[in-house]
């Protein structure tokens, strides 16, 4: 019997054949190596997260101690930077991490707002620990400025007495404390002071004209004064007493809307001039 032999030619292709299957021992070693690599990145992520939490806590504590409103400055003071958890290698096989990258989530920025961070309850009952003890000149010059302010206003009262006017009103005492004790505070800014003084005084006159004397006029005037200072960004607490002073002060009601300029705003001009002298003395004559 003859045998028929058929020889077939296999065409050459550029396809790459898959690598041969690894033995079971090699598969186990590869799996262990992958698990160890994944565990290493998990530890790295955890350590970075702990470092982030520590830096954030230090930044908040720093802000509370200094009573500042700029979280970026406090964060920079402790070396707090933008944390990017996706900066870790992405070859760990995490499906969720790849999805985050595909969606464009590159960075996670952690920020803290210190504007509304409330201090512990006990801290408000003790002096500010961050401030140092004042020198004798820091005590003497503001006190001398307050004495000079009331003396000058009192002398102006003597000149204006025949006309039934007075410059010495209680709100100007509060203004003196703000200008001489905390000259760099927002309440001591000239814009805040004059806008609030003029606006709140006019509100008091308007409330008295609409509601007459009584609790309703006082309540409406004070609420409107607070809203006015917030809207105009002219925070000056002493000005909030001007509407109450006009509504309850019979001797001032004849001024009508002139009360918006006198004696509050006019007295603030005198106090501002004295403040400049006090600041000069504090800077140049220290002891």
């Amino acid at each position: 019997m003859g045998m028929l032999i058929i020889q077939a030619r296999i065409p050459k292709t550029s396809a790459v054949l898959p690598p041969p299957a690894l033995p079971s021992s090699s598969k186990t070693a590869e799996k262990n190596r992958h698990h160890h690599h994944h565990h290493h990145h998990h530890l790295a992520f955890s350590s970075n997260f702990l470092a982030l939490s520590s830096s954030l806590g230090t930044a908040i504590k720093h802000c509370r101690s200094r009573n500042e409103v700029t979280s970026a400055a406090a964060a920079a003071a402790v070396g707090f930077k933008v944390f990017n958890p996706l900066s870790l290698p992405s070859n760990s096989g995490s499906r969720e991490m790849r999805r985050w990258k595909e969606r464009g989530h590159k960075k996670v920025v952690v920020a803290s707002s210190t504007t509304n961070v409330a201090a512990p309850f006990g801290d408000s009952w003790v002096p500010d620990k961050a401030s140092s003890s004042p020198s004798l000149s820091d005590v003497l010059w503001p006190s001398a400025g307050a004495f000079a302010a009331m003396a000058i206003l009192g002398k102006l009262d003597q000149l204006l007495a025949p006309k039934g006017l007075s410059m010495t009103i209680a709100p100007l005492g509060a203004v003196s404390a703000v200008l001489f004790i905390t000259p760099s505070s927002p309440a001591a800014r000239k814009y805040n002071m004059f806008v609030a003084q003029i606006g709140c005084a006019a509100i008091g006159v308007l409330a008295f004209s609409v509601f007459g004397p009584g609790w309703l006029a006082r309540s409406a005037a004070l609420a409107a004064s607070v809203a006015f200072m917030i809207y105009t960004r002219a925070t000056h607490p002493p000005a909030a007493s001007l509407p109450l002073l006009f509504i309850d002060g019979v001797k001032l009601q004849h001024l009508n809307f002139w009360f918006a300029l006198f004696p509050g705003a006019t007295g603030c001009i005198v106090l501002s001039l004295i403040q400049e002298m006090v600041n000069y003395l504090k800077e140049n004559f220290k002891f």
Side-chain angles (χ1 to χ4, degrees):
M1 179 182 297
M3 182 177 295
L4 179 62
I5 300 176
I6 301 175
Q7 184 176 5
R9 293 182 178 270
I10 301 176
K12 295 182 179 180
T13 61
S14 60
V16 180
L17 297 177
L22 295 175
S24 59
S25 59
S26 300
K27 289 182 177 180
T28 304
E30 177 66 19
K31 182 177 180 181
N32 292 337
R33 187 186 67 81
H34 179 74
H35 176 73
H36 177 73
H37 189 66
H38 179 72
H39 182 66
H40 171 74
H41 289 304
H42 178 72
L43 291 177
F45 182 85
S46 300
S47 62
N48 284 338
F49 181 78
L50 291 177
L52 166 69
S53 302
S54 177
S55 298
L56 178 60
T58 307
I60 294 177
K61 187 181 297 183
H62 180 77
C63 293
R64 286 179 176 176
S65 64
R66 292 182 60 87
N67 262 339
E68 294 178 351
V69 295
T70 52
S71 60
V78 297
F80 183 59
K81 298 180 180 180
V82 176
F83 175 65
N84 182 7
L86 297 180
S87 61
L88 300 174
S90 60
N91 55 359
S92 60
S94 174
R95 183 180 304 173
E96 299 298 328
M97 188 172 290
R98 287 199 302 269
R99 287 179 178 176
W100 270 72
K101 283 188 174 182
E102 292 172 358
R103 293 174 183 173
H105 299 280
K106 297 298 181 182
K107 294 181 180 179
V108 176
V109 181
V110 180
S112 62
S113 175
T114 61
T115 305
N116 297 322
V117 175
F121 177 76
D123 288 355
S124 62
W125 294 87
V126 296
D128 186 10
K129 298 178 181 179
S131 61
S132 58
S133 299
S135 62
L136 181 60
S137 58
D138 290 337
V139 176
L140 179 61
W141 295 129
S143 302
F147 179 86
M150 289 299 106
I152 293 174
L153 293 178
K155 187 62 178 177
L156 292 176
D157 278 352
Q158 294 178 358
L159 299 176
L160 296 174
K163 299 181 179 181
L165 301 176
S166 175
M167 290 283 292
T168 307
I169 57 176
L172 293 181
V175 175
S176 299
V178 171
L179 294 180
F180 302 143
I181 299 176
T182 58
S184 59
S185 65
R189 291 176 58 88
K190 302 304 183 290
Y191 168 81
N192 293 6
M193 180 172 62
F194 285 104
V195 170
Q197 287 277 338
I198 295 173
C200 293
I203 289 174
V205 178
L206 182 62
F208 178 79
S209 302
V210 175
F211 301 107
W215 66 268
L216 184 58
R218 289 191 294 268
S219 302
L222 183 58
S225 297
V226 171
F228 173 79
M229 287 189 286
I230 294 174
Y231 181 76
T232 58
R233 293 179 293 178
T235 304
H236 184 70
S241 61
L242 288 174
L244 307 182
L245 179 66
F246 182 83
I247 293 171
D248 295 331
V250 180
K251 295 181 178 180
L252 297 172
Q253 292 172 358
H254 69 280
L255 293 173
N256 207 352
F257 279 100
W258 283 107
F259 181 72
L261 300 176
F262 182 90
T266 306
C268 286
I269 296 176
V270 177
L271 297 180
S272 296
L273 296 176
I274 300 174
Q275 183 204 24
E276 295 300 325
M277 297 176 59
V278 170
N279 291 341
Y280 177 81
L281 294 172
K282 286 177 62 177
E283 292 295 330
N284 295 275
F285 297 92
K286 296 180 179 292
F287 49 84

